[in-house]
Amino acid sequence: MSLLKIIKYGHPILREKALEIKSLGSREQDLIDSMIETMYANHGLGLAANQVGVLQRIFVLDVDQDREAEDEVATRAPRVFINPEITWESAEDEPFKEGCLSIPGVENEVFRPSQVKVSARDENFEPFEVEADELLARVIQHELDHLNGVLYVDRLSLLKRKLLGGKLNKIKSATMEELPSLPDSYPILIG
Ligand SMILES: [Zn+2]
């Protein structure tokens, strides 16, 4: 288990579609543990495998943690989604301000369906289904987008994206500078 480096906007792996997982081995178990640790260390509500340089259909999230609690660690309730699929979504969209660990310092209101049904496999590779609303529905959709190479900024209006352009370009330039040194940091890249 180790902390993983989060890949930032501009890196091509964030635009790749992650691949379905056929079975869970120790490498995937380690990856899941490390993703959970990395999510908490970065105060994220969720984290997708693309964001740590791995093209496998896994994301983790925790929308139940009480960050204000005296013993916030005790309130943690991480959930693992492997090969997730949205099987139903509500007709009505609602706005919510989203941020992304791969796009630091930027937040924007995104419209998405308010409720979704999802089928996936858990950390034991057991299938499960969940009906999600509110924050859980939001995070599931954001993370599932990552596995398909989609970022929330893609879902903004042209005008909003234009307004963000300068900030996004700055993050992208910093990522491009780091790029030559990245492969060494990702022994499980495209695993
Ligand atoms: Zn994100």
Side-chain angles (χ1 to χ4, degrees), residues 51 99-102 142-143 146 151-152:
Q51 294 179 279
C100 179
L101 293 175
S102 294
H142 178 114
E143 302 307 333
H146 274 301
L151 300 172
Y152 82 86

Side-chain angles (χ1 to χ4, degrees), residues 6-55:
I6 293 180
I7 292 182
K8 302 293 193 311
Y9 182 82
H11 193 292
I13 203 163
L14 295 179
R15 294 310 195 175
E16 296 282 331
K17 197 170 169 180
L19 304 171
E20 198 160 304
I21 293 180
K22 303 273 184 261
S23 63
L24 270 194
S26 59
R27 200 166 79 150
E28 286 78 16
Q29 298 283 5
D30 282 351
L31 172 68
I32 289 167
D33 289 346
S34 297
M35 282 174 66
I36 291 171
E37 196 186 345
T38 303
M39 171 180 76
Y40 288 124
N42 289 278
H43 310 290
L45 292 174
L47 186 68
N50 303 45
Q51 294 179 279
V52 293
V54 181
L55 285 178

Side-chain angles (χ1 to χ4, degrees), residues 4 15 29 55 72 111 119 136 140 144:
L4 304 168
R15 294 310 195 175
Q29 298 283 5
L55 285 178
E72 58 94 11
F111 281 83
S119 67
L136 180 59
I140 286 173
L144 193 40

Side-chain angles (χ1 to χ4, degrees), residues 30 45 53 61 65 76 88 104 122 128 130 141 152 158 171 174:
D30 282 351
L45 292 174
L61 60 79
Q65 185 195 12
R76 289 178 178 179
W88 173 86
D122 66 13
F128 70 95
V130 61
Q141 292 176 82
Y152 82 86
L158 272 179
I171 301 170

Side-chain angles (χ1 to χ4, degrees), residues 6-159:
I6 293 180
I7 292 182
K8 302 293 193 311
Y9 182 82
H11 193 292
I13 203 163
L14 295 179
R15 294 310 195 175
E16 296 282 331
K17 197 170 169 180
L19 304 171
E20 198 160 304
I21 293 180
K22 303 273 184 261
S23 63
L24 270 194
S26 59
R27 200 166 79 150
E28 286 78 16
Q29 298 283 5
D30 282 351
L31 172 68
I32 289 167
D33 289 346
S34 297
M35 282 174 66
I36 291 171
E37 196 186 345
T38 303
M39 171 180 76
Y40 288 124
N42 289 278
H43 310 290
L45 292 174
L47 186 68
N50 303 45
Q51 294 179 279
V52 293
V54 181
L55 285 178
Q56 290 186 318
R57 298 187 82 74
I58 305 175
F59 67 74
V60 297
L61 60 79
D62 185 348
V63 295
D64 298 315
Q65 185 195 12
D66 181 359
R67 291 179 167 72
E68 309 297 316
E70 207 168 299
D71 186 3
E72 58 94 11
V73 174
T75 70
R76 289 178 178 179
R79 293 199 228 181
V80 179
F81 291 71
I82 296 168
N83 300 338
E85 267 179 63
I86 290 179
T87 55
W88 173 86
E89 58 184 37
S90 59
E92 79 281 11
D93 285 358
E94 64 180 17
F96 189 85
K97 203 174 249 188
E98 294 187 28
C100 179
L101 293 175
S102 294
I103 315 177
V106 179
E107 277 189 341
N108 240 298
E109 228 168 46
V110 185
F111 281 83
R112 297 188 191 267
S114 53
Q115 292 170 286
V116 289
K117 279 186 196 166
V118 182
S119 67
R121 287 177 183 267
D122 66 13
E123 62 276 23
N124 300 312
F125 214 56
E126 295 295 329
F128 70 95
E129 284 187 313
V130 61
E131 274 189 60
D133 59 6
E134 299 185 348
L135 191 54
L136 180 59
R138 178 63 51 165
V139 177
I140 286 173
Q141 292 176 82
H142 178 114
E143 302 307 333
L144 193 40
D145 265 359
H146 274 301
L147 300 182
N148 292 324
V150 175
L151 300 172
Y152 82 86
V153 289
D154 304 340
R155 298 191 176 277
L156 301 175
S157 67
L158 272 179
L159 175 65

